[in-house]
Amino acid sequence: MDQQIVQVKIHPAIGVARVGNSSAAPFIGPESPHQKPLPPGSHKDASGAVIKQAARFRVYGYNQAGEVVRELKLGQSGVSEIRWSVHLANKKAAWYRFHIPLDIPEAASLTPEQRGRRNTGVIGAERRKLVIDPGVRTVRASLHDVGTFDTGTIMGRKVPLGGISTEPTGRLLVVGGNGKSASYATPEKPITGVTNNDTWYDDVSDGPVTAEVTIGGQTRTATPAWVVVGPPHYAPGVKTIRTLYDVLHDVFTTEETPLSEDVVVSYADHIEPILSRFCSLQWTNHGFATQFGWNGPHDFLDPALRARLADPGVGSQELRRQIYVQMRDTTRDGTSPLPWPWLYGDAMSSGRGTSERQHIRLSPTQDRLLARWAEGRFQPGPLHEHHEDVDQAPVQEQPGLLDRAALENCAADAFHPGCEVTWPVRNQTMYAEPFRILHRAPGNPERDYGDVLSDQQVKSKDGPLHAQGPGDLTRWMAAPWQCDAASCRSGYQVLSGLGPRYSPYLPTFWPAQIPNHVLTRADFDIVNDPGADLESRKHAFERRAVWLRGLTGSNFNQQRRQMIDDWPDFGMVETHPYTVGDGMFPESIEAESVPGERLRGAPDHANLVNVQVPQAGSPRLAAEADTWSGELPAEQVEAALVTQAVGEAMRATGYDEAAIAAGYLEKLDLLRESQ
């Protein structure tokens, strides 16, 4: 192979860091799709604070044929300098409101107000004060420089966004903010919803990553990358069924294109990763645990079933076909909640869904792979060796592993809006090449789209779905992120849908990132106690506690406000070895770390049933629009309607008051203005 380097690229193409409130050294985000979860205690420090996840970037040299020659490390093979630059920003408060993705047909029903700006009371040049932008930071690896994004402000309030540093090899580390969210108003403005809380800000961010590498006395500019700083991943050993990598892979693949006959489908490489994710969700959702968990009817990791699934022979063909047929086909299934996967979609609404996007489906590539597998056209074993440590992989494979690992651990269920990034990333115009965000030139600022972001502006050639600048990916996300995290639940329903066919566990929002139901540490200790009787251990294993059980009161907005303060106290779902050795339970069990003291003591079933109360939206929306004319304050009317709904939900479900959370979620009532 030609060893002459003619091009330099940064990997991962999109790196992911996560906020944390601990002062401890950060841990590095996943760098291989096959990397094992970190041991218990890796995500919180001794005080219970959340440790930050750093994004690590590397530079690789490529030859004329586009082949990877080697990673370029400081002091090796003529590399004398790596000069990194990063520009983080947060533009949420200055951007437009989020209700649903603007690239789906349902967006046509949004009103001008729903497409309007956040913080509309801030006008003219004052709106620049809503952007948290500390500017570019540059570090040189040879000098071990450190850069801190500590000069950005919102309405005069300083908001640190993190910092950058280099390792001795010259690799770059990017860490994010402290997870601090607040209102810039005094007194603070009340929380009113999931995604668009005026005056509120957070410290997630994103922006370009660039590098110049001096090798053999010649300086080369690297093909640039991007970094996203998102919320914590509260179940870091769990991947969702359709990951962000799956979605972005298909951005560059024509949906109608069948798999080439030259593509070899491997059960180990292509099929089991999909099926095993159904099983992994047993640790974060009780509905998935029942059907896909240990000893469940669809436990795809059971050795006997696994052997049949990996068998391409005719004896297993009907089993493979039936599993494939279970996957959602919107043409066949419409809005039915029954096909797999049981995850909400982009146009989810409470009650009876009206859109085929009520639930997600597998990515087109995932579907084509499963179709080939169902036909028996696959091989059981892997095509390549699976490397848990990316540095042990052949150098030619390392860039792809880095790109994939970062994105596989991000949510791509409902872009409603999501956890790390949202719907714009599935538009090909956002990219310079696969997985690599198209950078906006520093001297070419984005134009002002006006008070309303129209469909024409969204799709225009100089619109927001083309070249990106600092803060442009995360600006579409919830403001602040904690309000969306507190609303990522399962079994949302209006009162009329409660009854014998109602499940509080399914469908669900983002359970891989924001758990719904978890095995507590106390129950894990029972399961892992060889001295406990088997029946007690079985019951402990089967129990699940609501992850958000520490949120108090039945009012959603009250709970969202609490999440802004208490987000670090919620448990992390961590991987523990099962050490009894009797084969009665999985070799690895994922259990919730002990929540912070303020969240302890709540019953395990608190906040299990989630009820949407559309009637409560009328007074709130009228009050927000300053058109409320009722005799009682809008807040009292809304609270009375919620209290009434809680009582009705108790009678309909048989659960006690602690189990019921009720209120009006504007994102579950998308088309209210047009009805």
Side-chain angles (χ1 to χ4, degrees), residues 347-464:
M348 178 269 178
S349 60
S350 58
R352 188 181 181 90
T354 58
S355 168
E356 66 178 27
R357 282 162 285 278
Q358 175 77 3
H359 309 96
I360 76 160
R361 58 174 181 154
L362 297 181
S363 75
T365 293
Q366 287 178 314
D367 187 85
R368 289 192 289 266
L369 289 168
L370 286 175
R372 180 78 63 86
W373 166 73
E375 295 170 357
R377 299 160 64 195
F378 69 97
Q379 70 175 43
L383 301 176
H384 305 282
E385 184 178 355
H386 292 175
H387 296 277
E388 296 175 7
D389 181 352
V390 68
D391 288 304
Q392 300 304 311
V395 69
Q396 293 82 8
E397 297 178 19
Q398 291 178 15
L401 292 175
L402 291 167
D403 291 351
R404 180 175 175 178
L407 299 173
E408 268 198 0
N409 289 274
C410 294
D413 305 338
F415 280 140
H416 207 282
C419 293
E420 298 87 7
V421 293
T422 189
W423 65 272
V425 299
R426 64 187 174 202
N427 288 270
Q428 195 175 98
T429 54
M430 299 268 290
Y431 300 90
E433 60 182 64
F435 304 109
R436 211 169 286 275
I437 296 294
L438 177 64
H439 291 214
R440 185 186 308 121
N444 183 30
E446 187 174 30
R447 66 184 176 91
D448 187 337
Y449 301 113
D451 292 337
V452 174
L453 186 60
S454 69
D455 186 59
Q456 181 179 3
Q457 290 167 328
V458 169
K459 297 176 180 177
S460 64
K461 292 185 178 180
D462 60 347

Side-chain angles (χ1 to χ4, degrees), residues 572-595:
M572 292 283 184
V573 177
E574 300 175 314
T575 305
H576 298 260
Y578 175 61
T579 58
V580 177
D582 58 4
M584 296 303 299
F585 300 99
E587 293 181 359
S588 293
I589 297 177
E590 301 201 28
E592 175 199 48
S593 64
V594 178

Side-chain angles (χ1 to χ4, degrees), residues 546-590:
V546 177
W547 184 71
L548 289 171
R549 63 193 181 278
L551 295 181
T552 58
S554 59
N555 184 283
F556 283 141
N557 280 328
Q558 175 185 333
Q559 293 187 357
R560 284 191 278 264
R561 179 60 187 85
Q562 180 187 346
M563 188 72 170
I564 292 172
D565 293 332
D566 290 351
W567 68 270
D569 293 326
F570 286 86
M572 292 283 184
V573 177
E574 300 175 314
T575 305
H576 298 260
Y578 175 61
T579 58
V580 177
D582 58 4
M584 296 303 299
F585 300 99
E587 293 181 359
S588 293
I589 297 177
E590 301 201 28

Side-chain angles (χ1 to χ4, degrees), residues 5 70 72 76-81 213-220:
I5 293 173
R70 63 179 178 273
L72 303 181
Q76 297 182 17
S77 303
V79 178
S80 58
E81 184 65 277
V213 182
T214 302
I215 178 171
Q218 182 180 4
T219 299
R220 293 185 180 275

Side-chain angles (χ1 to χ4, degrees), residues 595-665:
E597 187 174 352
R598 289 186 295 181
L599 301 183
R600 298 175 199 166
D604 285 353
H605 67 286
N607 298 318
L608 174 63
V609 177
N610 296 287
V611 182
Q612 165 78 331
V613 187
Q615 304 92 320
S618 297
R620 180 199 300 176
L621 296 171
E624 290 178 11
D626 201 25
T627 59
W628 177 252
S629 58
E631 295 181 4
L632 296 175
E635 294 80 5
Q636 290 185 22
V637 176
E638 180 184 358
L641 290 168
V642 170
T643 299
Q644 179 181 351
V646 169
E648 293 183 34
M650 290 168 59
R651 290 188 289 273
T653 64
Y655 287 105
D656 61 23
E657 185 174 0
I660 313 295
Y664 176 73
L665 282 79

Side-chain angles (χ1 to χ4, degrees), residues 96 102 107 110-117 451-455:
Y96 296 87
L102 299 182
L110 293 177
T111 66
E113 185 272 335
Q114 290 172 313
R115 288 175 170 267
R117 301 184 194 268
D451 292 337
V452 174
L453 186 60
S454 69
D455 186 59

Side-chain angles (χ1 to χ4, degrees), residues 49-71:
V50 175
I51 299 174
K52 296 179 181 181
Q53 174 180 307
R56 179 159 63 182
F57 293 89
R58 317 172 185 213
V59 284
Y60 285 83
Y62 289 73
N63 63 21
Q64 188 67 46
E67 300 168 319
V68 181
V69 176
R70 63 179 178 273
E71 182 185 352

Side-chain angles (χ1 to χ4, degrees), residues 301-352:
L301 299 180
D302 174 77
L305 179 57
R306 193 179 187 186
R308 295 181 65 195
L309 297 174
D311 176 11
V314 294
S316 298
Q317 185 166 356
E318 181 58 17
L319 172 64
R320 298 192 306 269
R321 188 191 69 83
Q322 288 190 19
I323 290 173
Y324 173 62
V325 168
Q326 291 280 0
M327 303 299 173
R328 179 168 288 106
D329 177 348
T330 52
T331 302
R332 175 195 68 185
D333 303 322
T335 63
S336 172
L338 299 180
W340 300 346
W342 297 320
L343 299 169
Y344 287 128
D346 287 355
M348 178 269 178
S349 60
S350 58
R352 188 181 181 90

